[in-house]
Amino acid sequence: MTTVVSSDGRRLSLGKVIGKGGEGAVHHIAEAPELAAKIYNPGKARERRDKVTAMVAGSLHRQSDYVAFPVDILKSSSGEFIGFTMKKVAGYKSVHDLYGPGSRKVEFPTADLKFLLRSAINLASAVASIHSIGCVIGDINHSGILVSSKATVSLIDSDSFQYRPAGLTYRCLVGVAEYTPPELQGALFEKVDRTPNHDNFGLAVLLFQLLFLGRHPFAGKYLGKGDMDIKTAIKEGRFAYSSRKAETMMEPPPFVPALGDYGEDIRRAFEEAFVPPNKQQGGRPTAASWVGLLKAVEGNLATCSADKSHAYPRQFGGCPWCKLERTMGRSLFPAQFSPGAPIMDIGQLLTAIKTMPTLPRAPDPEGLLGPLPALNRSLAAKQARQERNAAVAAGIVAAGVAFYLMSAVSGFWGVALLIGVGIVAIRSMDIKGRFATELNSARSGWEEQRKIWESKAGPETFESRRSHYLALAAAHGNLPQKERERLAVLDQKKRQLQLEKHMESHRIDRAKIPRVGQGRKATLASYGFENAWDVQQRSVTGVPGFGPSLAGDMEKWARTVERKFVFNASIPTEPAAVQAVKNDIAKQRAEIERELTKATADLKQLADNASTLKAKPPQPLVDAYTRLKQAELDVS
């Protein structure tokens, strides 16, 4: 067991390794179980020594509960600086394990929408606390952020933060392109002073990933020529979910929430966070402002009546997550339903629905509306008749002239005039032809309104809704048998289920796949590819930037994972698959019962509406009838 020395001379024994990275390893400390020790790899300690010493001297670990800041420096037995102690972050997992739906199912099996929102609030609070003590994270990305099972957040790798004590500047020397703001893309970080506004971009990306199923805000379908990688999209301000579609030339990937699903304030904040720097008004939303915005959403959430793992702003008319899950064909959160008996007596409900009296046929609407005594010919009809009478009078005179010409002057001109008089007379007499279009349109409008009225005033709409509710009740009664059948199928598909679990355990973000780096992995995640099973089930060629060659590499990797699978017939059916079936049946039951609860009230309302329509025909029907009678009068 290696022994190290703290600044006060205490000798500490390094225990097992908690984790390793490119800079060093983190160890348990035998004498201080609440602390951990970060020991740098050879060659790394010297470049971090001064910054860590300054952080310890500034007692930063006492100024933020969200960060594992250095507590004390550590030296070797020969007095050489080798690392530091920090608060041990136990029981936490990467935020990446939380925001990806596939990994969340395994690592955070009880996390629902409210859990994601609370984690987002705590993340924003953590960044705000760091900014308040004069630090800038700089290299803000998913690998340095941990989340607990209680949605609390802790940041690690604090020794890479930018810190400015007493006029000195210890810069952050690294960064991940997918979280770097456009103005710093391609910059030499050792020459750049970071600002909180730079952090605010990376924070907005992480908040977006937490709230939008792990999707990267700059991963989408490019509407221009060629492909658009995430780094270029960031640099050019191409926020894939923006309402500025004509400017960004980007569309979101399929099966994602809408940008407004958390309310207008959140939508506007993301637009402001991702707009190009030259179009920003006063910088990006700060971490503190995100805390306020997200808490406002949290305080205004309604819980979905069908699935309690869903929540949405109260002002929305329905649950967007139910709609999205139906479109995707899978659950995004662990379903939560009220266990036990149905919320109603289905038999009693069926009796109430079946015994409701059938509505009588609707009476003839023309007989109901009766004649319209106050109706007079329209101005256009009167004018047409005046023109006809004038034409007849003029025709008589012209005919006299024609006969005179035929007998006294020239037979040809007399005949020509007579023919012309006849044509004009025929046209002027055709009143029906002039109003035929209006009459046909009026008849069509009347037929349309009459059918609508008869369906609502008569039994048609009522009986259609009654049949709908009876079908729902029958489906409700079949749910137990449906569950048994699906569980039996699961038992028969035991090998397939074990294979699926094996493939899902091999995540893309942790795999080494040729030519697939961090940026391409983020793009894959934004299109719902999280593990080897996803790659095997869907074609990767639909993802921007993944042509046949690169897609072939992904498929080859998935086949390699599959070859490692070993079936074990003695293992019982996967409990998660069994629970998924039970959850789906419970969700169907909840949705059916939610609709059936309003059946009797709905049918009674339809019956009352039918009575009202018979007693007082609706205005559209009256207007259509009036228009028809007016048209008939005009052509009569």
Side-chain angles (χ1 to χ4, degrees):
M1 185 175 290
T2 304
T3 300
V4 296
V5 182
S6 65
S7 60
D8 60 2
R10 285 190 305 156
R11 301 179 68 82
L12 303 174
S13 303
L14 299 182
K16 293 182 179 180
V17 173
I18 300 173
K20 289 183 178 181
E23 295 184 339
V26 178
H27 298 258
H28 291 285
I29 300 177
E31 293 80 5
E34 76 285 2
L35 297 177
K38 180 171 183 177
I39 306 300
Y40 289 109
N41 292 332
K44 285 288 183 180
R46 181 174 298 178
E47 66 184 49
R48 291 294 175 87
R49 180 187 58 198
D50 293 344
K51 181 195 285 189
V52 171
T53 301
M55 286 181 162
V56 171
S59 298
L60 298 185
H61 67 282
R62 293 194 177 97
Q63 299 181 50
S64 175
D65 293 331
Y66 295 99
V67 186
F69 276 119
V71 175
D72 199 359
I73 62 172
L74 295 175
K75 297 181 179 181
S76 66
S77 55
S78 61
E80 180 183 5
F81 173 79
I82 57 172
F84 60 90
T85 60
M86 59 183 176
K87 177 183 68 174
K88 183 184 291 183
V89 184
Y92 284 64
K93 298 176 181 178
S94 169
V95 69
H96 183 277
D97 294 333
L98 174 62
Y99 62 59
S103 56
R104 180 169 63 243
K105 182 171 64 175
V106 177
E107 304 294 346
F108 291 87
T110 62
D112 57 10
L113 191 281
K114 292 180 180 179
F115 186 96
L116 292 179
L117 189 58
R118 173 45 52 178
S119 300
I121 292 170
N122 287 336
L123 172 57
S125 298
V127 176
S129 75
I130 294 167
H131 291 169
S132 69
I133 60 176
C135 286
V136 175
I137 299 172
D139 183 24
I140 183 169
N141 68 81
H142 60 77
S143 65
I145 298 165
L146 306 179
V147 185
S148 76
S149 59
K150 296 182 179 180
T152 54
V153 169
S154 183
L155 274 67
I156 57 175
D157 296 332
S158 60
D159 52 325
S160 73
F161 291 3
Q162 178 178 283
Y163 181 47
R164 286 180 162 175
L168 297 173
T169 299
Y170 297 103
R171 291 185 175 125
C172 175
L173 306 179
V174 290
V176 175
E178 289 73 28
Y179 297 87
T180 300
E183 62 269 27
L184 295 185
Q185 288 288 328
L188 297 174
F189 294 129
E190 63 269 20
K191 297 182 179 180
V192 174
D193 288 343
R194 310 283 186 97
T195 68
N197 193 48
H198 295 147
D199 275 359
N200 294 339
F201 178 86
L203 170 63
V205 172
L206 284 162
L207 294 176
F208 190 93
Q209 290 176 311
L210 275 169
L211 301 179
F212 289 84
L213 309 181
R215 297 342 192 200
H216 194 285
F218 288 85
K221 180 182 179 182
Y222 180 49
L223 303 180
K225 293 182 179 180
D227 292 318
M228 179 63 59
D229 62 87
I230 291 177
K231 291 186 288 186
T232 305
I234 291 175
K235 193 171 183 179
E236 297 178 359
R238 300 185 186 276
F239 175 31
Y241 297 71
S242 176
S243 60
R244 302 177 290 108
K245 183 177 176 180
E247 180 183 336
T248 62
M249 295 289 289
M250 294 284 281
E251 285 183 347
F255 309 126
V256 294
L259 189 59
D261 280 352
Y262 293 91
E264 179 61 20
D265 290 342
I266 297 296
R267 185 201 66 77
R268 190 183 302 111
F270 278 124
E271 289 275 19
E272 292 171 357
F274 299 135
V275 74
N278 61 342
K279 295 184 179 181
Q280 287 178 7
Q281 301 292 328
R284 302 177 177 96
T286 65
S289 67
W290 276 113
V291 172
L293 290 169
L294 294 169
K295 282 186 175 180
V297 174
E298 185 182 51
N300 187 43
L301 286 179
T303 301
C304 175
S305 58
D307 187 341
K308 290 181 172 54
S309 70
H310 297 171
Y312 55 91
R314 294 183 187 280
Q315 66 268 25
F316 290 3
C319 176
W321 300 106
C322 284
K323 181 179 179 181
L324 184 59
E325 287 185 346
R326 283 193 295 269
T327 304
M328 298 177 70
R330 65 188 180 99
S331 296
L332 297 168
F333 306 99
Q336 299 175 22
F337 307 105
S338 300
I343 60 174
M344 68 191 75
D345 185 332
I346 297 297
Q348 183 179 0
L349 178 68
L350 279 170
T351 300
I353 294 174
K354 290 178 179 179
T355 56
M356 294 186 79
T358 300
L359 302 185
R361 290 182 61 83
D364 176 43
E366 289 199 49
L368 188 66
L369 293 171
L372 300 174
L375 210 58
N376 296 308
R377 282 194 176 95
S378 67
L379 182 61
K382 291 177 181 178
Q383 184 175 350
R385 282 162 173 77
Q386 290 173 358
E387 291 173 357
R388 179 194 63 186
N389 295 337
V392 170
I396 293 172
V397 174
V401 173
F403 282 117
Y404 170 76
L405 291 174
M406 290 170 62
S407 61
V409 181
S410 169
F412 172 79
W413 290 111
V415 171
L417 180 58
L418 191 61
I419 292 172
V421 168
I423 293 172
V424 172
I426 292 171
R427 289 182 176 177
S428 62
M429 295 293 288
D430 186 17
I431 298 296
K432 286 188 177 182
R434 296 179 64 176
F435 289 91
T437 300
E438 170 59 17
L439 179 61
N440 290 334
S441 178
R443 283 172 176 165
S444 297
W446 166 247
E447 284 301 312
E448 180 183 354
Q449 290 299 323
R450 182 182 63 80
K451 289 178 180 178
I452 294 173
W453 182 81
E454 287 179 345
S455 71
K456 293 182 178 180
E460 184 179 335
T461 300
F462 178 88
E463 291 302 331
S464 175
R465 292 299 292 172
R466 192 207 304 258
S467 297
H468 169 71
Y469 289 124
L470 291 175
L472 281 179
H476 187 281
N478 290 333
L479 286 177
Q481 177 61 28
K482 187 176 181 180
E483 180 176 312
R484 287 192 293 271
E485 290 173 354
R486 289 181 58 180
L487 290 175
V489 170
L490 278 186
D491 194 54
Q492 295 171 7
K493 293 171 60 179
K494 189 183 296 186
R495 184 186 188 285
Q496 180 68 17
L497 290 170
Q498 286 186 26
L499 172 62
E500 182 176 341
K501 183 180 180 182
H502 166 77
M503 300 289 282
E504 285 182 339
S505 68
H506 287 74
R507 289 167 40 184
I508 293 172
D509 67 300
R510 296 177 179 176
K512 293 182 179 180
I513 307 171
R515 299 186 293 161
V516 181
Q518 196 65 40
R520 283 174 169 158
K521 288 179 179 179
T523 301
L524 285 167
S526 291
Y527 276 75
F529 290 89
E530 295 185 62
N531 50 57
W533 180 252
D534 294 330
V535 175
Q536 195 175 70
Q537 296 303 300
R538 295 183 287 133
S539 174
V540 182
T541 53
V543 179
F546 283 80
S549 176
L550 203 53
D553 289 346
M554 294 297 303
E555 292 162 2
K556 181 180 179 181
W557 168 72
R559 287 194 298 271
T560 301
V561 172
E562 183 178 11
R563 283 196 292 270
K564 297 176 182 177
F565 169 69
V566 177
F567 174 60
N568 188 339
S570 64
I571 297 178
T573 302
E574 174 60 36
V578 173
Q579 189 59 47
V581 169
K582 291 181 176 294
N583 285 345
D584 185 51
I585 296 297
K587 186 173 184 177
Q588 291 182 48
R589 179 179 291 110
E591 290 175 346
I592 291 173
E593 290 179 352
R594 179 177 57 179
E595 191 162 357
L596 284 176
T597 53
K598 59 185 181 183
T600 53
D602 184 27
L603 291 172
K604 184 178 184 304
Q605 182 66 47
L606 289 174
D608 292 343
N609 288 345
S611 299
T612 301
L613 289 172
K614 293 170 188 173
K616 184 179 180 182
Q619 195 60 42
L621 182 72
V622 175
D623 291 343
Y625 184 68
T626 303
R627 182 187 176 194
L628 174 63
K629 293 306 175 184
Q630 181 69 64
E632 290 176 345
L633 179 62
D634 286 346
V635 301
S636 64

